[in-house]
Amino acid sequence: MKRRNSISKSHSRWNKKLLAVLFLSFCFGCLVLMQARYDRIRMIISSPPPFVQRPKIAFLFIARNRLPLEIVWDAFFQVDWGEASMIQAERILLKNALMDSFNERFVFLSDSCLPLYGFSYTYDYIMSTPNSFVDSFADTKEGRYNPKMHPVIPVHNWRKGSQWVVLRRKHAEVVVEDDMVYPVFQQHCRRKSLPEFWRDHPLPADGSKEHNCIPDEHYVQTLLAQKGLEGEITRRTLTHTSWDLSSSKVRERRGWHPVTYKMSDATAEVIQSIKDIDNINYETESRKEWCSSKGKPAHCFLFARKFTRSAGLRLLNESVLGVSNEGIDEA
């Protein structure tokens, strides 16, 4: 009997010890877990906030070969921080630029364009509105519309304007995904036969029946009108072009080519005269577009063309453009 009591007491003490060990283990485990959570919370608090990618602007240069003014554009980006084939080139550029999901604006520029202001001002100006900037107006005078485009493209959707557009992502996607308007342009929108193009296209027997359709001056504008998106665009370009209205002796050819600014033309006065423009007049629509940004009167243009390389260097060296020339090699 005594032996049985002794065994029972021994088991009881062992059970108490086991419970004590389990309790201590549980407490230790809780302490370790709490410490781990505390360390994690302290690490999160002390670590820098996660990087948030700022929406970007894709600058898309349409160039035959090199960029003669790349020296100016290089400085710009260092600041704080005729034919249907032309349309196809634009679509390819947009398709590739859209692959970067952070690209929210898409700026078309030529190889002779200059920035008129620094990057920060340009960025804020473009990003301050949800609209695309598309020079677009009803084309009623020049007979560029080809009736064969009907009914896919009705004449009331026919638009003209500058190809130097700034598109928001939604509109860039519309251009890339278009499989209705572009094929019609390929088939029925062609430049009128002129002497400089006779090498590629024979002169027609009756030139009066030709429609002088220059695809890149109509495509984006007409496509957005066709899609009912004109309410989402600011109907003006941000790129200034000075059209030569008197260089040709042939009346119908006047105004076909923009003025080219050479080194002797590249003065602070010329640049300032472009910057001072605050409205654009559209005669065919009896419309005057007063330029604004963030709801306030603003300069109409952020870029200008056509400037030679020597003209760009002069403006850069004289600090006329508001971009830095530090570290730029003039050679």
Side-chain angles (χ1 to χ4, degrees):
M1 189 71 178
K2 290 182 179 180
R3 185 177 179 182
R4 185 177 296 174
N5 289 338
S6 176
I7 293 172
S8 177
K9 289 180 180 179
S10 176
H11 283 173
S12 178
R13 286 195 300 270
W14 174 252
N15 288 337
K16 289 180 180 179
K17 289 180 180 180
L18 181 60
L19 288 173
V21 169
L22 291 174
F23 179 76
L24 289 174
S25 298
F26 176 77
C27 291
F28 180 76
C30 290
L31 182 62
V32 171
L33 181 61
M34 290 176 65
Q35 183 65 37
R37 290 186 176 179
Y38 172 77
D39 290 340
R40 181 175 176 81
I41 293 172
R42 185 175 62 179
M43 181 181 68
I44 293 173
I45 294 175
S46 61
S47 63
F51 175 75
V52 178
Q53 175 64 53
R54 190 180 185 187
K56 299 190 295 184
I57 299 173
F59 287 79
L60 311 176
F61 292 85
I62 298 178
R64 295 184 182 90
N65 191 354
R66 57 174 293 190
L67 291 178
L69 295 172
E70 81 275 9
I71 191 170
V72 179
W73 286 106
D74 183 62
F76 172 71
F77 289 118
Q78 286 181 6
V79 179
D80 23 340
W81 41 334
E83 294 288 330
S85 59
M86 179 67 76
I87 300 176
Q88 180 64 0
E90 294 174 354
R91 285 157 55 93
I92 291 172
L93 286 169
L94 285 175
K95 183 177 180 179
N96 283 275
L98 283 166
M99 291 180 182
D100 187 334
S101 61
F102 291 109
N103 283 337
E104 292 292 340
R105 298 293 187 275
F106 304 82
V107 182
F108 280 102
L109 299 163
S110 77
D111 55 349
S112 63
C113 281
L114 285 175
L116 297 174
Y117 304 95
F119 187 89
S120 293
Y121 178 84
T122 302
Y123 180 94
D124 291 341
Y125 192 115
I126 292 174
M127 300 300 290
S128 66
T129 173
N131 286 4
S132 294
F133 288 91
V134 181
D135 184 41
S136 178
F137 54 91
D139 181 28
T140 59
K141 290 184 176 180
E142 298 188 36
R144 294 191 178 188
Y145 176 77
N146 187 341
K148 293 180 180 179
M149 293 181 172
H150 187 82
V152 178
I153 303 175
V155 68
H156 64 263
N157 283 338
W158 185 245
R159 300 289 185 271
K160 182 185 175 186
S162 167
Q163 75 179 106
W164 312 115
V165 300
V166 177
L167 299 179
R168 56 182 283 196
R169 189 174 185 89
K170 172 184 175 180
H171 299 154
E173 290 171 344
V174 168
V175 173
V176 170
E177 295 168 2
D178 170 40
D179 59 2
M180 180 178 66
V181 173
Y182 176 60
V184 176
F185 266 72
Q186 283 183 304
Q187 187 174 2
H188 298 300
C189 183
R190 294 187 176 90
R191 189 191 304 266
K192 186 176 182 179
S193 298
L194 293 169
E196 58 263 43
F197 304 116
W198 288 352
R199 296 171 301 175
D200 304 316
H201 304 286
L203 187 66
D206 187 358
S208 64
K209 294 182 179 180
E210 283 191 294
H211 297 276
N212 189 32
C213 183
I214 302 176
D216 51 272
E217 294 183 0
H218 295 274
Y219 174 64
V220 172
Q221 292 81 357
T222 300
L223 174 62
L224 295 180
Q226 187 87 347
K227 295 290 186 179
L229 296 172
E230 288 189 300
E232 299 178 4
I233 67 174
T234 299
R235 295 172 64 192
R236 62 182 175 89
T237 180
L238 298 183
T239 299
H240 177 267
T241 303
S242 179
W243 293 98
D244 187 353
L245 301 179
S246 61
S247 63
S248 177
K249 295 180 180 179
V250 182
R251 183 177 179 182
E252 68 174 6
R253 299 290 302 282
R254 291 176 184 173
W256 271 54
H257 300 290
V259 172
T260 296
Y261 295 96
K262 300 181 175 64
M263 183 176 181
S264 59
D265 307 314
T267 64
E269 291 75 20
V270 167
I271 296 300
Q272 191 58 50
S273 68
I274 296 173
K275 289 183 175 181
D276 287 341
I277 298 172
D278 61 0
N279 71 88
I280 304 171
N281 188 39
Y282 294 91
E283 293 182 4
T284 62
E285 295 182 337
S286 300
R287 170 171 64 96
K288 179 174 283 191
E289 189 79 23
W290 291 94
C291 303
S292 63
S293 177
K294 300 179 181 178
K296 299 179 180 179
H299 311 288
C300 287
F301 301 110
L302 299 180
F303 315 102
R305 59 190 296 266
K306 299 175 67 172
F307 289 83
T308 63
R309 180 179 175 85
S310 59
L313 283 171
R314 177 182 178 182
L315 294 171
L316 184 64
N317 289 331
E318 294 180 2
S319 301
V320 174
L321 302 174
V323 299
S324 172
N325 64 351
E326 183 179 353
I328 297 297
D329 182 8
E330 297 187 20

